[in-house]
Amino acid sequence: MSLEALFCDVDDFCQVFLPQWEREQLVCGERQRRRPARLSVSEMMTIIIHFHQSHYRHFKGYYLGYVRPHLKRAFPGLVSYQRFVALIPSVLIPLCAYLQQRKGPATGIAFIDATPITVCHNRRINRHRVFKKIARRGKTSMGWFYGFKLHLVVNDRGELLAFHVTPGNVDDRQPVPHLTQGLSGKLFGDKGYISKCLFQTLFEKGLQLMTPIRKNMHNRLLTLFDKLLLRRRALIETIHDQLKNISQIEHSRHRSIGNFMVNLVAGLIAYTHQPLKPSLNLTHPQLMLLNKPR
């Protein structure tokens, strides 16, 4: 997606969202300065999202090495790097609202998985201060980490349906009922989501949880389509890989919680703008056959 097209889409959203957001904000009664910023909210959002599409490894190099030398005509009100970093937390709410409208449609087939978001190396846990009160140690199949977990739900086209961020020690099954609100059909996950209670809770809402079985579990009958879809869980793992290696949602250079959340949300938005996403390439008749009650 070009920079011009991205700005137009973001600016159209801001023209509708910002006036409504400002009307609903609480007033403390104190007189405050409301000096207009040199950069508009839509311009800041565009720069932040475009960074996650630019393949730069860190924002400072992107802003100083690309934005200021090459995008001065596109953004005539550019500020210094230090000032821009200070303004980043102010666009968190608009970015979250914009991400909500970027979600894909529910197709009756969904995949769920969690991935660790490491905030520092394990050797520096005791010295880490930025996320000391909220980050936690967790363990995955790859070992221990310190930070958070990003829980994602995507459809068969690789489009984002829901996301949730939790401390690293939270069980993968805990946020599932919240993540799957409004979804129906079939939900495919790995062995970490095996739970009779969770299965029953989702089944009562019209969502069937499908997972592989452990060695000590009794075998169960599955249709051929369900078995094939269980083998395609790598779809969401590919999305996690793209978010970390292309959209740069994970790094250890954060200096505030607000900037961490902006970086994460903007990375998810950048992914939703990808023209080609990991997909199962299922046709509409195939989807109807999969969702047909038996």
mmCIF file with all atom_site columns, all heavy atoms in Angstrom, residues 82-97:
data_model
loop_
_atom_site.group_PDB
_atom_site.id
_atom_site.type_symbol
_atom_site.label_atom_id
_atom_site.label_alt_id
_atom_site.label_comp_id
_atom_site.label_asym_id
_atom_site.label_entity_id
_atom_site.label_seq_id
_atom_site.pdbx_PDB_ins_code
_atom_site.Cartn_x
_atom_site.Cartn_y
_atom_site.Cartn_z
_atom_site.occupancy
_atom_site.B_iso_or_equiv
_atom_site.pdbx_formal_charge
_atom_site.auth_seq_id
_atom_site.auth_comp_id
_atom_site.auth_asym_id
_atom_site.auth_atom_id
_atom_site.pdbx_PDB_model_num
ATOM 1   N N   . GLN A 1 82 ? 12.941  13.781 18.895 1.00 0.00 ? 82 GLN A N   1
ATOM 2   C CA  . GLN A 1 82 ? 12.600  13.757 20.308 1.00 0.00 ? 82 GLN A CA  1
ATOM 3   C C   . GLN A 1 82 ? 11.164  14.209 20.543 1.00 0.00 ? 82 GLN A C   1
ATOM 4   O O   . GLN A 1 82 ? 10.444  13.625 21.362 1.00 0.00 ? 82 GLN A O   1
ATOM 5   C CB  . GLN A 1 82 ? 13.563  14.651 21.110 1.00 0.00 ? 82 GLN A CB  1
ATOM 6   C CG  . GLN A 1 82 ? 14.987  14.141 21.196 1.00 0.00 ? 82 GLN A CG  1
ATOM 7   C CD  . GLN A 1 82 ? 15.779  14.367 19.916 1.00 0.00 ? 82 GLN A CD  1
ATOM 8   O OE1 . GLN A 1 82 ? 15.322  15.063 18.998 1.00 0.00 ? 82 GLN A OE1 1
ATOM 9   N NE2 . GLN A 1 82 ? 16.967  13.788 19.848 1.00 0.00 ? 82 GLN A NE2 1
ATOM 10  N N   . ARG A 1 83 ? 10.724  15.239 19.812 1.00 0.00 ? 83 ARG A N   1
ATOM 11  C CA  . ARG A 1 83 ? 9.349   15.716 19.959 1.00 0.00 ? 83 ARG A CA  1
ATOM 12  C C   . ARG A 1 83 ? 8.355   14.692 19.436 1.00 0.00 ? 83 ARG A C   1
ATOM 13  O O   . ARG A 1 83 ? 7.296   14.482 20.041 1.00 0.00 ? 83 ARG A O   1
ATOM 14  C CB  . ARG A 1 83 ? 9.198   17.041 19.204 1.00 0.00 ? 83 ARG A CB  1
ATOM 15  C CG  . ARG A 1 83 ? 7.784   17.629 19.239 1.00 0.00 ? 83 ARG A CG  1
ATOM 16  C CD  . ARG A 1 83 ? 7.293   17.842 20.641 1.00 0.00 ? 83 ARG A CD  1
ATOM 17  N NE  . ARG A 1 83 ? 5.949   18.414 20.660 1.00 0.00 ? 83 ARG A NE  1
ATOM 18  C CZ  . ARG A 1 83 ? 5.166   18.439 21.726 1.00 0.00 ? 83 ARG A CZ  1
ATOM 19  N NH1 . ARG A 1 83 ? 5.593   17.922 22.884 1.00 0.00 ? 83 ARG A NH1 1
ATOM 20  N NH2 . ARG A 1 83 ? 3.974   18.982 21.672 1.00 0.00 ? 83 ARG A NH2 1
ATOM 21  N N   . PHE A 1 84 ? 8.678   14.044 18.344 1.00 0.00 ? 84 PHE A N   1
ATOM 22  C CA  . PHE A 1 84 ? 7.764   13.039 17.791 1.00 0.00 ? 84 PHE A CA  1
ATOM 23  C C   . PHE A 1 84 ? 7.605   11.870 18.754 1.00 0.00 ? 84 PHE A C   1
ATOM 24  O O   . PHE A 1 84 ? 6.490   11.376 18.962 1.00 0.00 ? 84 PHE A O   1
ATOM 25  C CB  . PHE A 1 84 ? 8.275   12.551 16.439 1.00 0.00 ? 84 PHE A CB  1
ATOM 26  C CG  . PHE A 1 84 ? 7.265   11.726 15.682 1.00 0.00 ? 84 PHE A CG  1
ATOM 27  C CD1 . PHE A 1 84 ? 6.417   12.335 14.765 1.00 0.00 ? 84 PHE A CD1 1
ATOM 28  C CD2 . PHE A 1 84 ? 7.147   10.366 15.889 1.00 0.00 ? 84 PHE A CD2 1
ATOM 29  C CE1 . PHE A 1 84 ? 5.473   11.580 14.074 1.00 0.00 ? 84 PHE A CE1 1
ATOM 30  C CE2 . PHE A 1 84 ? 6.218   9.611  15.206 1.00 0.00 ? 84 PHE A CE2 1
ATOM 31  C CZ  . PHE A 1 84 ? 5.369   10.226 14.292 1.00 0.00 ? 84 PHE A CZ  1
ATOM 32  N N   . VAL A 1 85 ? 8.694   11.417 19.357 1.00 0.00 ? 85 VAL A N   1
ATOM 33  C CA  . VAL A 1 85 ? 8.617   10.315 20.322 1.00 0.00 ? 85 VAL A CA  1
ATOM 34  C C   . VAL A 1 85 ? 7.748   10.705 21.511 1.00 0.00 ? 85 VAL A C   1
ATOM 35  O O   . VAL A 1 85 ? 6.982   9.887  22.036 1.00 0.00 ? 85 VAL A O   1
ATOM 36  C CB  . VAL A 1 85 ? 10.034  9.908  20.778 1.00 0.00 ? 85 VAL A CB  1
ATOM 37  C CG1 . VAL A 1 85 ? 9.964   8.908  21.932 1.00 0.00 ? 85 VAL A CG1 1
ATOM 38  C CG2 . VAL A 1 85 ? 10.814  9.306  19.615 1.00 0.00 ? 85 VAL A CG2 1
ATOM 39  N N   . ALA A 1 86 ? 7.830   11.970 21.938 1.00 0.00 ? 86 ALA A N   1
ATOM 40  C CA  . ALA A 1 86 ? 7.000   12.429 23.051 1.00 0.00 ? 86 ALA A CA  1
ATOM 41  C C   . ALA A 1 86 ? 5.520   12.471 22.678 1.00 0.00 ? 86 ALA A C   1
ATOM 42  O O   . ALA A 1 86 ? 4.646   12.325 23.548 1.00 0.00 ? 86 ALA A O   1
ATOM 43  C CB  . ALA A 1 86 ? 7.461   13.815 23.500 1.00 0.00 ? 86 ALA A CB  1
ATOM 44  N N   . LEU A 1 87 ? 5.212   12.646 21.389 1.00 0.00 ? 87 LEU A N   1
ATOM 45  C CA  . LEU A 1 87 ? 3.819   12.720 20.941 1.00 0.00 ? 87 LEU A CA  1
ATOM 46  C C   . LEU A 1 87 ? 3.215   11.353 20.643 1.00 0.00 ? 87 LEU A C   1
ATOM 47  O O   . LEU A 1 87 ? 1.988   11.240 20.505 1.00 0.00 ? 87 LEU A O   1
ATOM 48  C CB  . LEU A 1 87 ? 3.721   13.587 19.677 1.00 0.00 ? 87 LEU A CB  1
ATOM 49  C CG  . LEU A 1 87 ? 4.013   15.079 19.833 1.00 0.00 ? 87 LEU A CG  1
ATOM 50  C CD1 . LEU A 1 87 ? 4.048   15.741 18.464 1.00 0.00 ? 87 LEU A CD1 1
ATOM 51  C CD2 . LEU A 1 87 ? 2.976   15.739 20.722 1.00 0.00 ? 87 LEU A CD2 1
ATOM 52  N N   . ILE A 1 88 ? 4.035   10.322 20.536 1.00 0.00 ? 88 ILE A N   1
ATOM 53  C CA  . ILE A 1 88 ? 3.544   9.011  20.135 1.00 0.00 ? 88 ILE A CA  1
ATOM 54  C C   . ILE A 1 88 ? 2.416   8.491  21.025 1.00 0.00 ? 88 ILE A C   1
ATOM 55  O O   . ILE A 1 88 ? 1.388   8.002  20.516 1.00 0.00 ? 88 ILE A O   1
ATOM 56  C CB  . ILE A 1 88 ? 4.715   8.003  20.062 1.00 0.00 ? 88 ILE A CB  1
ATOM 57  C CG1 . ILE A 1 88 ? 5.539   8.248  18.802 1.00 0.00 ? 88 ILE A CG1 1
ATOM 58  C CG2 . ILE A 1 88 ? 4.213   6.558  20.078 1.00 0.00 ? 88 ILE A CG2 1
ATOM 59  C CD1 . ILE A 1 88 ? 6.752   7.343  18.668 1.00 0.00 ? 88 ILE A CD1 1
ATOM 60  N N   . PRO A 1 89 ? 2.508   8.562  22.364 1.00 0.00 ? 89 PRO A N   1
ATOM 61  C CA  . PRO A 1 89 ? 1.406   8.012  23.190 1.00 0.00 ? 89 PRO A CA  1
ATOM 62  C C   . PRO A 1 89 ? 0.060   8.688  22.960 1.00 0.00 ? 89 PRO A C   1
ATOM 63  O O   . PRO A 1 89 ? -0.985  8.088  23.239 1.00 0.00 ? 89 PRO A O   1
ATOM 64  C CB  . PRO A 1 89 ? 1.899   8.239  24.632 1.00 0.00 ? 89 PRO A CB  1
ATOM 65  C CG  . PRO A 1 89 ? 3.384   8.326  24.519 1.00 0.00 ? 89 PRO A CG  1
ATOM 66  C CD  . PRO A 1 89 ? 3.640   8.983  23.200 1.00 0.00 ? 89 PRO A CD  1
ATOM 67  N N   . SER A 1 90 ? 0.045   9.903  22.432 1.00 0.00 ? 90 SER A N   1
ATOM 68  C CA  . SER A 1 90 ? -1.216  10.628 22.242 1.00 0.00 ? 90 SER A CA  1
ATOM 69  C C   . SER A 1 90 ? -2.087  10.028 21.146 1.00 0.00 ? 90 SER A C   1
ATOM 70  O O   . SER A 1 90 ? -3.282  10.347 21.065 1.00 0.00 ? 90 SER A O   1
ATOM 71  C CB  . SER A 1 90 ? -0.930  12.100 21.914 1.00 0.00 ? 90 SER A CB  1
ATOM 72  O OG  . SER A 1 90 ? -0.248  12.219 20.675 1.00 0.00 ? 90 SER A OG  1
ATOM 73  N N   . VAL A 1 91 ? -1.527  9.169  20.301 1.00 0.00 ? 91 VAL A N   1
ATOM 74  C CA  . VAL A 1 91 ? -2.313  8.581  19.204 1.00 0.00 ? 91 VAL A CA  1
ATOM 75  C C   . VAL A 1 91 ? -2.681  7.132  19.491 1.00 0.00 ? 91 VAL A C   1
ATOM 76  O O   . VAL A 1 91 ? -3.161  6.425  18.593 1.00 0.00 ? 91 VAL A O   1
ATOM 77  C CB  . VAL A 1 91 ? -1.552  8.673  17.861 1.00 0.00 ? 91 VAL A CB  1
ATOM 78  C CG1 . VAL A 1 91 ? -1.308  10.125 17.488 1.00 0.00 ? 91 VAL A CG1 1
ATOM 79  C CG2 . VAL A 1 91 ? -0.241  7.915  17.921 1.00 0.00 ? 91 VAL A CG2 1
ATOM 80  N N   . LEU A 1 92 ? -2.497  6.669  20.721 1.00 0.00 ? 92 LEU A N   1
ATOM 81  C CA  . LEU A 1 92 ? -2.808  5.275  21.039 1.00 0.00 ? 92 LEU A CA  1
ATOM 82  C C   . LEU A 1 92 ? -4.287  4.975  20.864 1.00 0.00 ? 92 LEU A C   1
ATOM 83  O O   . LEU A 1 92 ? -4.658  3.964  20.243 1.00 0.00 ? 92 LEU A O   1
ATOM 84  C CB  . LEU A 1 92 ? -2.358  4.944  22.465 1.00 0.00 ? 92 LEU A CB  1
ATOM 85  C CG  . LEU A 1 92 ? -2.711  3.541  22.969 1.00 0.00 ? 92 LEU A CG  1
ATOM 86  C CD1 . LEU A 1 92 ? -2.112  2.473  22.056 1.00 0.00 ? 92 LEU A CD1 1
ATOM 87  C CD2 . LEU A 1 92 ? -2.237  3.343  24.407 1.00 0.00 ? 92 LEU A CD2 1
ATOM 88  N N   . ILE A 1 93 ? -5.162  5.821  21.399 1.00 0.00 ? 93 ILE A N   1
ATOM 89  C CA  . ILE A 1 93 ? -6.609  5.585  21.301 1.00 0.00 ? 93 ILE A CA  1
ATOM 90  C C   . ILE A 1 93 ? -7.082  5.622  19.845 1.00 0.00 ? 93 ILE A C   1
ATOM 91  O O   . ILE A 1 93 ? -7.813  4.713  19.411 1.00 0.00 ? 93 ILE A O   1
ATOM 92  C CB  . ILE A 1 93 ? -7.380  6.594  22.157 1.00 0.00 ? 93 ILE A CB  1
ATOM 93  C CG1 . ILE A 1 93 ? -6.959  6.485  23.626 1.00 0.00 ? 93 ILE A CG1 1
ATOM 94  C CG2 . ILE A 1 93 ? -8.885  6.363  22.029 1.00 0.00 ? 93 ILE A CG2 1
ATOM 95  C CD1 . ILE A 1 93 ? -7.167  5.120  24.237 1.00 0.00 ? 93 ILE A CD1 1
ATOM 96  N N   . PRO A 1 94 ? -6.710  6.624  19.053 1.00 0.00 ? 94 PRO A N   1
ATOM 97  C CA  . PRO A 1 94 ? -7.109  6.584  17.632 1.00 0.00 ? 94 PRO A CA  1
ATOM 98  C C   . PRO A 1 94 ? -6.590  5.352  16.891 1.00 0.00 ? 94 PRO A C   1
ATOM 99  O O   . PRO A 1 94 ? -7.298  4.792  16.048 1.00 0.00 ? 94 PRO A O   1
ATOM 100 C CB  . PRO A 1 94 ? -6.510  7.872  17.064 1.00 0.00 ? 94 PRO A CB  1
ATOM 101 C CG  . PRO A 1 94 ? -6.406  8.792  18.223 1.00 0.00 ? 94 PRO A CG  1
ATOM 102 C CD  . PRO A 1 94 ? -6.068  7.917  19.386 1.00 0.00 ? 94 PRO A CD  1
ATOM 103 N N   . LEU A 1 95 ? -5.370  4.902  17.201 1.00 0.00 ? 95 LEU A N   1
ATOM 104 C CA  . LEU A 1 95 ? -4.843  3.699  16.557 1.00 0.00 ? 95 LEU A CA  1
ATOM 105 C C   . LEU A 1 95 ? -5.659  2.472  16.932 1.00 0.00 ? 95 LEU A C   1
ATOM 106 O O   . LEU A 1 95 ? -5.958  1.632  16.066 1.00 0.00 ? 95 LEU A O   1
ATOM 107 C CB  . LEU A 1 95 ? -3.375  3.495  16.949 1.00 0.00 ? 95 LEU A CB  1
ATOM 108 C CG  . LEU A 1 95 ? -2.328  4.351  16.230 1.00 0.00 ? 95 LEU A CG  1
ATOM 109 C CD1 . LEU A 1 95 ? -0.964  4.186  16.886 1.00 0.00 ? 95 LEU A CD1 1
ATOM 110 C CD2 . LEU A 1 95 ? -2.250  4.002  14.750 1.00 0.00 ? 95 LEU A CD2 1
ATOM 111 N N   . CYS A 1 96 ? -6.026  2.346  18.196 1.00 0.00 ? 96 CYS A N   1
ATOM 112 C CA  . CYS A 1 96 ? -6.841  1.195  18.624 1.00 0.00 ? 96 CYS A CA  1
ATOM 113 C C   . CYS A 1 96 ? -8.203  1.208  17.936 1.00 0.00 ? 96 CYS A C   1
ATOM 114 O O   . CYS A 1 96 ? -8.697  0.164  17.505 1.00 0.00 ? 96 CYS A O   1
ATOM 115 C CB  . CYS A 1 96 ? -7.009  1.214  20.145 1.00 0.00 ? 96 CYS A CB  1
ATOM 116 S SG  . CYS A 1 96 ? -5.502  0.863  21.081 1.00 0.00 ? 96 CYS A SG  1
ATOM 117 N N   . ALA A 1 97 ? -8.812  2.388  17.851 1.00 0.00 ? 97 ALA A N   1
ATOM 118 C CA  . ALA A 1 97 ? -10.107 2.487  17.177 1.00 0.00 ? 97 ALA A CA  1
ATOM 119 C C   . ALA A 1 97 ? -9.981  2.174  15.689 1.00 0.00 ? 97 ALA A C   1
ATOM 120 O O   . ALA A 1 97 ? -10.852 1.521  15.100 1.00 0.00 ? 97 ALA A O   1
ATOM 121 C CB  . ALA A 1 97 ? -10.689 3.888  17.379 1.00 0.00 ? 97 ALA A CB  1
#
